[in-house]
């Protein structure tokens, strides 16, 4: 069933809603799909280079990624708290 609306403002609003849904879907998909990342600084790479330290290099990579996630989670938590305060004040 196809519904046609007359009026440009309603059409503009519907296009914004569909755009928001598409962006939300892309964000959720990219959030749950992860790729392997080699997150080493130059000093860590130089000291852990070679085949002998492969397990240690992977552990350092995991630690760097873990430490990198914490600030993003804190900022997201603060942003959510501000959003809730503004939503409740209206």
């Amino acid at each position: 069933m196809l519904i046609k609306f007359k009026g440009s403002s309603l059409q503009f609003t519907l296009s914004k809603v569909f755009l928001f849904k598409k962006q939300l879907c892309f964000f959720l998909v990219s959030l749950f799909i992860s790729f392997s990342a080699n997150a080493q600084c130059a000093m860590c790479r130089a000291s852990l280079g070679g085949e002998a330290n492969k397990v240690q290099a992977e552990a350092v990579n995991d630690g760097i990624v873990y430490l990198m996630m914490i600030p993003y989670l804190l900022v997201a938590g603060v942003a959510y708290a501000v959003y809730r305060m503004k939503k409740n004040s209206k």
Side-chain angles (χ1 to χ4, degrees), residues 44-59:
C44 297
R45 185 176 297 267
S47 65
L48 296 173
E51 292 295 322
N53 295 328
K54 190 168 182 107
V55 175
Q56 288 177 340
E58 288 178 6

Side-chain angles (χ1 to χ4, degrees), residues 57-77:
E58 288 178 6
V60 168
N61 278 340
D62 292 341
I64 291 170
V65 171
Y66 173 74
L67 289 173
M68 189 175 65
M69 283 184 352
I70 300 300
Y72 287 110
L73 291 174
L74 287 173
V75 168

Side-chain angles (χ1 to χ4, degrees), residues 8-43:
S8 62
S9 63
L10 183 59
Q11 191 174 21
F12 180 71
T13 305
L14 288 176
S15 66
K16 284 178 67 174
V17 169
F18 289 126
L19 179 64
F20 175 73
K21 285 184 179 182
K22 187 190 313 184
Q23 288 174 344
L24 181 65
C25 187
F26 176 75
F27 175 72
L28 291 175
V29 167
S30 65
L31 184 67
F32 293 114
I33 294 177
S34 64
F35 298 104
S36 177
N38 293 324
Q40 284 185 351
C41 65
M43 294 287 288

